[in-house]
Amino acid sequence: MTTSIQYKKNMHSNAKTENLFRKIQNNENQWFAFDFILDHFNEDQKVKIRKYIKQLIKEEKTNEINKNQ
């Protein structure tokens, strides 16, 4: 299978999972779903995920500050 096809399939799968996750209304159930997802990663991968999330938060804050100026 070519890389392009694999990438498209991966993106489609991720989108389906993300769409389902967003449909969870109960915060506790969101936590359980996210916890289940994280259980499939080792600690080094979780550190990378946390760093990535922190970077996204910084970008959001920067964008919000720039928007309000």
Side-chain angles (χ1 to χ4, degrees):
M1 192 179 313
T2 67
T3 303
S4 178
I5 293 172
Q6 288 173 331
Y7 177 77
K8 287 178 184 177
K9 285 186 175 189
N10 184 55
M11 290 302 292
H12 181 70
S13 177
N14 287 354
K16 286 179 8 182
T17 303
E18 186 263 347
N19 184 48
L20 285 173
F21 184 81
R22 287 180 183 261
K23 288 182 180 181
I24 300 172
Q25 297 295 310
N26 180 290
N27 286 338
E28 188 174 346
N29 286 340
Q30 286 179 344
W31 184 89
F32 283 117
F34 196 67
D35 186 59
F36 179 80
I37 292 166
L38 290 176
D39 280 346
H40 292 81
F41 296 102
N42 66 40
E43 189 56 33
D44 288 342
Q45 292 168 319
K46 290 177 187 180
V47 169
K48 288 180 184 178
I49 292 167
R50 286 193 295 272
K51 286 180 180 179
Y52 181 72
I53 291 171
K54 287 176 184 177
Q55 182 60 38
L56 291 175
I57 292 168
K58 285 180 186 177
E59 289 175 16
E60 284 183 353
K61 287 180 181 178
T62 301
N63 290 340
E64 188 63 31
I65 290 170
N66 292 337
K67 180 180 166 185
N68 291 330
Q69 291 180 348

